[in-house]
Amino acid sequence: QVQLVESGGGLVQPGGSLRLSCAASGFTFRSYAMGWYRQAPGKERELVAISRVGSTNYADSVKGRFAILRDNAKNTVYLQMNSLKPEDTAVYYCKAVGPGHVYWGQGTQVTVSS
C-alpha cells in the first residue's frame, strides 16, 4: 500500500522557518521524482520544488528561501522553508512521480502570520 505522510506544518511568524517532512512507503522511493506543491485558498495548486535524479527545481517565488532535500535511506523528502512570508500560507502536498504512477500525500497546513 502506497503512503505519503506529510508532517511539520503549523503556524509561524513572518521571517520564521519550518521544515516539512514526507515519509514514503509502498514504492521504490529512489526511482521516483519527489516534489512539494502548495495550494492557497481560492488558488490553483502550484509546484514549489521538485527533486529528480541529478537535478532540483524551484518556483521563482521560493528560490533562495526553500530547499528540497531527500534521504533515500529513510524514504523521506524534506522541504526546508526559511524567511517565510504571509504569501507562503497554503496547504503543502508531497507528490511522487514514477514509471506509470503518481501519488499524492494528504497535505499539511502552513500558516505564516503575526
Side-chain angles (χ1 to χ4, degrees), residues 5-43:
V5 180
E6 299 103 332
S7 61
L11 174 64
V12 63
Q13 292 187 343
S17 297
L18 280 176
R19 188 176 80 158
L20 306 182
S21 300
C22 173
S25 60
F27 61 96
T28 307
F29 181 82
R30 63 181 178 274
S31 298
Y32 278 63
M34 298 299 299
W36 286 96
Y37 289 70
R38 67 186 181 188
Q39 188 166 18
K43 295 188 176 181

Side-chain angles (χ1 to χ4, degrees), residues 12-77:
V12 63
Q13 292 187 343
S17 297
L18 280 176
R19 188 176 80 158
L20 306 182
S21 300
C22 173
S25 60
F27 61 96
T28 307
F29 181 82
R30 63 181 178 274
S31 298
Y32 278 63
M34 298 299 299
W36 286 96
Y37 289 70
R38 67 186 181 188
Q39 188 166 18
K43 295 188 176 181
E44 293 186 354
R45 193 171 297 189
E46 62 176 1
L47 172 69
V48 176
I50 188 165
S51 171
R52 301 182 181 91
V53 175
S55 70
T56 56
N57 294 94
Y58 297 91
D60 288 342
S61 60
V62 306
K63 282 181 181 177
R65 300 188 298 122
F66 290 12
I68 185 169
L69 307 163
R70 64 188 296 164
D71 186 336
N72 288 339
K74 295 183 178 180
N75 288 357
T76 301
V77 62

